Amino acid sequence: MDSVGFDLPAQRTPLSAAAETGLKIVVVGGFGVGKTTLVHSVSEIRPLNTEEVMTQAGVGVDETSGVDGKTTTTVAFDFGRISLNERMVLYLFGAPGQKRFWFLWDRLFSGTLGAVVLVDTRRMDDSWYAIDRLEHHGTPFVVAVNRFDHDTTYSLDEIRQALALPPHVPMVDCDARVRTSSKNVLITLVDHLHTMALAREATP
């Protein structure tokens, strides 16, 4: 997904000198689903990214069906930041989408509080690996359906069924280009983590 049209904040926020707690969230999903776009749209700083121009060397290696117009790709990870308060900071890591870079995911998952699985209905099968790895690591996650150009081909219930997601995993629609929409995805994840923590505390 192109980085044109981000709904960016008017100014970038410096990190508070009192910040002492860092929380980590990873955004994962298939190639071209909009992970870089989501991190860029919601970060309060100018994000670090490792976008490189796609070349002929990737032909036959990277599966580009459904995202034929994509010209750049993440080769390591994206990084952004959101200050929750003076002492607590949320760090966002966007994972690379192509299969040849999936070996990096397990390292990115280390120390992760939770994750967002970004889904593109044009390439739904690409979501399986992300969900499988998160479940393998026992990492809580939510699923966000990035509605490219307001795509409504499939409902959330249909997507949940296609991905065989259990009822307790939250699902939301989003537009990764829009800051408020991306913030809602992160709020959904934080609410989910809070609910899970309360459930653990209530368990004898």
Side-chain angles (χ1 to χ4, degrees):
M1 187 173 187
D2 292 336
S3 58
V4 177
F6 292 153
D7 181 13
L8 294 174
Q11 60 184 12
R12 298 299 183 178
T13 306
L15 181 62
S16 168
E20 59 183 23
T21 302
L23 306 174
K24 179 180 177 182
I25 284 179
V26 176
V27 182
V28 294
F31 175 56
V33 73
K35 300 178 297 295
T36 297
T37 301
L38 187 146
V39 172
H40 278 235
S41 72
V42 79
S43 177
E44 68 186 14
I45 61 172
R46 184 173 298 281
L48 166 70
N49 68 63
T50 55
E51 288 269 294
E52 296 293 342
V53 176
M54 297 175 66
T55 67
Q56 286 296 113
V59 176
V61 177
D62 297 325
E63 175 54 55
T64 59
S65 59
V67 288
D68 306 294
K70 188 170 173 60
T71 58
T72 61
T73 185
T74 299
V75 297
F77 60 85
D78 302 301
F79 174 77
R81 189 194 77 206
I82 302 172
S83 294
L84 302 179
N85 55 42
E86 289 188 357
R87 295 182 177 275
M88 194 172 297
V89 181
L90 184 67
Y91 295 113
L92 299 174
F93 290 82
Q98 305 100 307
K99 291 182 180 179
R100 58 194 169 113
F101 296 126
W102 282 354
F103 71 92
L104 296 171
W105 285 22
D106 287 347
R107 292 185 178 228
L108 282 177
F109 291 163
S110 177
T112 297
L113 184 68
V116 173
V117 178
L118 207 54
V119 173
D120 179 354
T121 58
R122 300 170 302 179
R123 298 164 60 92
M124 202 114 59
D125 288 347
D126 289 354
S127 307
W128 281 106
Y129 183 78
I131 293 170
D132 177 73
R133 296 315 298 166
L134 290 169
E135 290 179 340
H136 173 77
H137 284 272
T139 303
F141 65 94
V142 300
V143 173
V145 181
N146 194 11
R147 298 291 189 180
F148 292 84
D149 299 319
H150 306 289
D151 171 41
T152 56
T153 305
Y154 302 100
S155 68
L156 289 182
D157 286 341
E158 290 173 320
I159 296 170
R160 179 182 293 278
Q161 184 175 2
L163 295 176
L165 286 178
H168 72 271
V169 176
M171 288 190 69
V172 292
D173 285 322
C174 78
D175 184 337
R177 299 166 295 186
V178 180
R179 179 175 170 80
T180 53
S181 184
S182 297
K183 281 178 62 177
N184 182 60
V185 172
L186 298 180
I187 290 170
T188 300
L189 175 58
V190 171
D191 286 345
H192 179 50
L193 294 172
H194 180 63
T195 299
M196 292 181 65
L198 291 178
R200 284 195 297 270
E201 290 177 3
T203 302

